[in-house]
Amino acid sequence: MSDSLTLLSGDGATRAVAVSEPTALTRPHGPLTARVAYAAAHVVPRASADNTPGQPADIDWDATLAYRHHLFSWGLGVADAMDTAQRNMGLDPAAVRELISRSAAEASAAGARIVVGVNTDHVEDEVITLPQVIDAYKEQLFHAEDAGAGAVLMASRHLVRAAESADDYRRVYDEVLAVASQPVVLHWLGTAFDPQLAGYFGSDDWRVAADTVVDIIASNPQTVSGIKMSLLDSQSEIAVRRRLPTSARMFTGDDFHYCELIEGDEQGNSDALLGAFAALGPHASGAIQALGEGDVVRYREILQPTEELSRQIFAAPTFYYKTGVAFMSWLNGHQEAFQMVGGLHSARSLSHLSRIVELANACGALEQPDLAAQRWHALLGLNGIEAA
């Protein structure tokens, strides 16, 4: 194993740290049971493709689907065609449809859980009417259901532009949910992830918006299985979680505070639908297995150290977190090149990536330390920085 990793600071200085062994974790024999846990997976483009801004996604399907099987092998479900897969940041509608069809087929063959994003983003016009928003949601919902996947009704930029009141949100969701053939998960995505979603559910105040959310869920108990909250505010998630009907789960999308939220308290806990778990699949699995064995101490030992790494991956501007997820995949040998659809691999600085390397090493998340060191040092060398 390599003896050291060269790390880079913002001023260009380098230092060496000792390489750590990966955390010892064991794959489960099937899907996790202590919590329902979905990893929101990324996509891998062909390295030789025109991965530049504005170009259609040219996916390396072998690597992309193999990564989903990697997550399945750890007992995790996959949440696909979500923002982690660069939805609205390079993954065009044709690629979204193909990704959903291919991933759903792979999940079925593996006996694994899968949900996929349903949105209105195939509509090219920026401004459309509420009936058109409803029709657009339905079109994608039917495609997801036909593919055999569960649906996550993602927050729609079209809806936030068209809605004039909380009642408009109730109308749209009620009409879409009325045609769902199986329960779906709602999605509340905060402005850190997408600034265009300000005021979603009718208010910039989450307490006011929560009234609308809870009302929609309570009015559709047969067709809403839960909600994913991604506000990066644990107190708002806990407050909404305590108001949910017993028929609905809270899926944490809080990549800053997931350890405490998944563990829960005397009044309940959150399940998980996290982009962080795409980068930290083995740790997520090992921790949830420990919960299932009643070993909360071991759960915290495994998962708490990963939160600092996740906070770095999701640091502001948070919507570029996808770069860190793909970077971890590359470091750990799950893709041959550090390339992303739309050139997004350039969205983070070397010093930012160096901190990811440092924290991944510290929490034992480098699955193949020798390979990770080799690849990281090669990237430094490409940028004229000599490894120590």
Side-chain angles (χ1 to χ4, degrees):
M1 189 170 80
S2 298
D3 293 329
S4 65
L5 280 166
T6 297
L7 301 176
L8 178 70
S9 63
D11 62 5
T14 61
R15 60 188 173 90
V17 298
V19 175
S20 300
E21 292 280 359
T23 303
L25 299 163
T26 303
R27 284 182 169 84
H29 297 298
L32 301 173
T33 56
R35 299 288 187 272
V36 177
Y38 293 101
H42 75 301
V43 294
V44 182
R46 288 194 311 110
S48 60
D50 186 3
N51 298 316
T52 53
Q55 295 303 309
D58 188 345
I59 305 298
D60 180 339
W61 290 112
D62 288 342
T64 294
L65 297 176
Y67 199 77
R68 281 135 183 82
H69 281 282
H70 160 68
L71 296 170
F72 294 153
S73 76
W74 285 97
L76 296 164
V78 164
D80 221 328
M82 303 287 290
D83 47 303
T84 309
Q86 294 182 240
R87 197 81 178 252
N88 291 310
M89 291 187 74
L91 196 72
D92 57 279
V96 168
R97 289 177 65 88
E98 186 170 2
L99 176 62
I100 288 171
S101 297
R102 286 177 177 264
S103 291
E106 295 295 320
S108 177
R113 295 189 183 104
I114 189 166
V115 291
V116 300
V118 167
N119 209 320
T120 64
D121 52 352
H122 63 289
V123 179
E124 293 185 3
D125 294 337
E126 286 198 3
V127 178
I128 59 178
T129 65
L130 289 177
Q132 288 173 317
V133 171
I134 292 167
D135 289 343
Y137 262 137
K138 287 180 180 179
E139 182 178 340
Q140 291 200 22
L141 174 64
F142 295 150
H143 174 69
E145 292 180 340
D146 288 346
V152 179
L153 285 187
M154 300 178 72
S156 164
R157 292 175 177 176
H158 287 115
L159 178 52
V160 78
R161 294 186 193 113
E164 297 180 354
S165 67
D167 284 340
D168 286 339
Y169 286 90
R170 292 186 181 95
R171 172 190 170 186
V172 169
Y173 279 91
D174 285 348
E175 290 197 30
V176 175
L177 292 168
V179 300
S181 64
Q182 57 183 316
V184 307
V185 177
L186 306 188
H187 189 195
W188 190 354
L189 192 66
T191 53
F193 291 95
D194 188 346
Q196 295 188 50
L197 296 175
Y200 208 81
F201 290 117
S203 179
D204 288 316
D205 185 335
W206 70 261
R207 295 166 185 82
V208 177
D211 292 337
T212 304
V213 170
V214 172
D215 185 46
I216 291 169
I217 295 172
S219 298
N220 297 278
Q222 303 303 314
T223 47
V224 178
S225 61
I227 181 168
K228 164 184 161 64
M229 281 186 64
S230 301
L231 303 189
L232 301 181
D233 177 350
S234 60
Q235 293 310 303
S236 66
E237 179 175 318
I238 291 170
V240 174
R241 186 175 76 195
R242 290 175 177 172
R243 296 180 61 188
L244 293 178
T246 56
S247 58
R249 296 175 179 269
M250 172 59 73
F251 291 92
T252 185
D254 188 335
D255 301 279
F256 289 178
H257 310 100
Y258 49 78
C259 189
E260 65 167 301
L261 291 165
I262 293 170
E263 179 180 337
D265 55 30
E266 67 282 355
Q267 297 186 54
N269 61 265
S270 297
D271 292 288
L273 199 164
L274 288 162
F277 280 9
L280 296 162
H283 281 73
S285 174
I288 293 173
Q289 288 179 67
L291 269 188
E293 296 163 1
D295 192 342
V296 177
V297 172
R298 177 60 176 158
Y299 164 81
R300 294 171 183 165
E301 287 176 348
I302 296 170
L303 207 56
Q304 277 184 340
T306 70
E307 282 194 340
E308 189 174 3
L309 169 58
S310 184
R311 291 188 188 105
Q312 174 67 12
I313 292 173
F314 286 79
T318 299
F319 43 80
Y320 287 135
Y321 77 87
K322 306 153 186 73
T323 303
V325 173
F327 181 61
M328 285 289 295
S329 171
W330 175 65
L331 286 179
N332 284 328
H334 297 293
Q335 58 191 74
E336 289 302 313
F338 179 36
Q339 287 272 317
M340 296 179 69
V341 170
L344 207 61
H345 47 281
S346 66
R348 295 294 202 184
S349 68
L350 271 180
S351 59
H352 176 93
L353 297 177
S354 178
R355 183 63 174 156
I356 289 178
V357 172
E358 180 178 10
L359 294 172
N361 181 58
C363 70
L366 297 179
E367 298 168 20
Q368 303 179 66
D370 270 339
L371 178 64
Q374 174 190 341
R375 290 187 165 187
W376 171 238
H377 292 159
L379 183 60
L380 288 178
L382 182 65
N383 286 274
I385 299 169
E386 185 175 350

